[in-house]
Amino acid sequence: MTTLHTGDANHTWPALPPLAEWQETLTALHMWAQIVGKIRLQRSPWINHSWGSALYVTTRGLTTSPVPDGARTFAVDFDFVGHQLRVTTSDGADRSFELAPMSVADFYRKTMDALRQLDIGVEIFSRPVEVEEAIRFEDDTRHASYDAAAVHRFWGALVQVARVFNEFRARFIGKSSPVHFFWGAFDLAATRFSGRSAPRHPGGAPNCADWVMQEAYSHEVASSGFWPGTGGVGEAAFYAYAYPEPAGYRSRAIRPEAAYFHETLGEFVLPYEAVRAAEAPDQALLGFLQSTYEAAADLARWDRAALESNRPGNS
């Protein structure tokens, strides 16, 4: 079994392999997560900004959390410690299978078979979203890698990132999202809202209906998140952006020193490795989250006094 701490200079924040070494696994896992996420989306009540479809970090992986199935509920869990996919129900039934190298088509078949064996009838739209190449799940025999050690380290990073994101979330008493994992772009995200409506978003995300993006950005946001390697910067990284972007935002000084504004993405970026290697990784990440939020809130004239907690330490 993979051990999270082995070989890490920083024993809390695990080193992630270079993207090239686990890109094939990351792509397959992204598609697997879309399958599981679409199951939750299909059966759960709609919550604003697609919050009702997201996954959540657990002590062993990622979960849908309880999903309605008539009078009972079920959950689909990725276990990145024991490397299993597990479906459990509130009436005590369960099915599971091993996470190992297999095609997206095989994962899709096994997952839907497990649901059927539990008398859970779910049909999903089987084309992936928010990716340029959208091969239907049942036809995707190309992506079939699973590097268990890399996935375990990815999960270990998620545990640390979610912990710090939740600390940052606690500093805000206005509307804010849960710290949740969006399977579309395969990122852990947390968003703060000013409370004011925003201009209509232009949409344009690949293989994603414009109305989804328009509803997601119906109100002003300062958002931040973590890509394990899916953000287009060639490595695991944190990001932050504002919508709409206020004048002067991209020229603001941001902490820590390793953070920079990525002109192509239109977002601030901080490499994961810069945080992991920092003397105080939590504080380095909190500095990035706080300074990018302040850039958005100050320049867009948010009512910070009304939106932020005044508890000691929340600054």
Side-chain angles (χ1 to χ4, degrees), residues 93-217:
D94 67 88
R95 293 290 186 277
S96 63
F97 61 85
E98 180 184 6
L99 295 178
M102 74 182 87
S103 69
V104 173
D106 283 343
F107 179 90
Y108 178 61
R109 176 182 55 79
K110 288 186 175 186
T111 302
M112 302 310 283
D113 283 348
L115 292 170
R116 280 190 289 269
Q117 290 167 18
L118 295 168
D119 295 321
I120 300 169
V122 181
E123 293 185 8
I124 64 172
F125 180 56
S126 65
R127 190 182 72 193
V129 298
E130 296 187 56
V131 292
E132 294 290 347
E133 185 180 37
I135 306 171
R136 288 189 176 271
F137 303 136
E138 64 269 31
D139 298 329
D140 189 350
T141 58
R142 182 189 311 173
H143 303 114
S145 297
Y146 189 78
D147 180 336
V151 172
H152 187 81
R153 286 179 175 271
F154 155 65
W155 161 75
L158 287 182
V159 169
Q160 300 308 318
V161 176
R163 178 178 58 79
V164 176
F165 276 19
N166 273 303
E167 180 179 343
F168 182 66
R169 185 191 182 204
R171 301 176 177 184
F172 197 75
I173 59 175
K175 177 180 174 179
S176 61
S177 76
V179 175
H180 46 194
F181 193 87
F182 279 119
W183 39 268
F186 208 69
D187 60 328
L188 191 70
T191 301
R192 291 176 170 185
F193 294 78
S194 72
R196 301 187 300 236
S197 60
R200 186 180 179 88
H201 194 279
N207 288 295
C208 182
D210 286 348
W211 73 263
V212 175
M213 304 300 291
Q214 290 161 357
E215 197 275 343
Y217 295 102

